[in-house]
Amino acid sequence: MLDRFPIDHVGIAVHDLQRAIERYSLDFGFTLELEEDIPSQKTKAAFLKLGNSYIELLTPMDESSLIAKFLATRGEGLHHICFEVPDIRAELTSLKSKGYQLIDESPRTGARHSEIAFIHPKSTGGVLIELCQY
Ligand code: CO
């Protein structure tokens, strides 16, 4: 079950990370909190904060990145929504038992010292759902 601030962040795929950082900073009032390479996903991420809301901007490091494939087929835009949970392993077990298709059977290391796991959009009505636990 979800915790107090259940939507941890919204992930957005972009071609030009610096341009997107400028957009959300200058035009929408977000503050850049962190830029982080996620080599395991061949992805560069930037987290921007406004109040309790975070946006994660994602851009590929190379063409083998899943973000590169996403951009090629879907273009820029909303990529995933992340819910913070207090016990990610228990949540994955529970969701699997309900028939959800797990991309990550067990959590892996994500940005900001979190453990993360993704649920396949085929089983969620078209939304890539990320779970994270700090
Ligand atoms: Co994310």
Side-chain angles (χ1 to χ4, degrees):
M1 289 295 118
L2 302 177
D3 216 338
R4 192 167 153 223
F5 295 113
I7 297 181
D8 184 76
H9 63 267
V10 169
I12 298 171
V14 301
H15 286 296
D16 184 335
L17 190 60
Q18 293 312 315
R19 181 146 181 253
I21 289 170
E22 281 177 28
R23 179 197 307 285
Y24 284 98
S25 302
L26 300 177
D27 301 335
F28 293 93
F30 279 76
T31 301
L32 177 63
E33 191 168 278
L34 171 72
E35 280 188 73
E36 190 169 330
D37 290 349
I38 310 170
S40 63
Q41 295 172 58
K42 300 269 207 281
T43 295
K44 287 178 180 290
F47 280 89
L48 294 96
K49 183 177 188 184
L50 179 60
N52 286 321
S53 298
Y54 282 90
I55 284 177
E56 177 185 29
L57 301 174
L58 298 161
T59 203
M61 286 176 171
D62 65 38
E63 290 307 306
S64 70
S65 166
L66 286 175
I67 297 297
K69 288 176 188 125
F70 181 91
L71 287 169
T73 55
R74 307 265 299 265
E76 289 188 305
L78 192 61
H79 180 261
H80 67 270
I81 184 166
C82 178
F83 300 130
E84 184 187 351
V85 294
D87 185 342
I88 193 169
R89 285 168 182 79
E91 212 61 54
L92 289 173
T93 302
S94 167
L95 290 171
K96 190 174 182 179
S97 75
K98 291 173 184 168
Y100 287 93
Q101 186 183 335
L102 307 183
I103 293 173
D104 301 296
E105 293 282 335
S106 54
R108 57 190 156 106
T109 303
R112 300 187 296 162
H113 311 291
S114 61
E115 291 187 289
I116 63 167
F118 284 94
I119 316 297
H120 202 288
K122 275 183 196 157
S123 63
T124 65
V127 178
L128 176 59
I129 292 177
E130 176 184 9
L131 303 180
C132 73
Q133 178 186 349
Y134 290 102

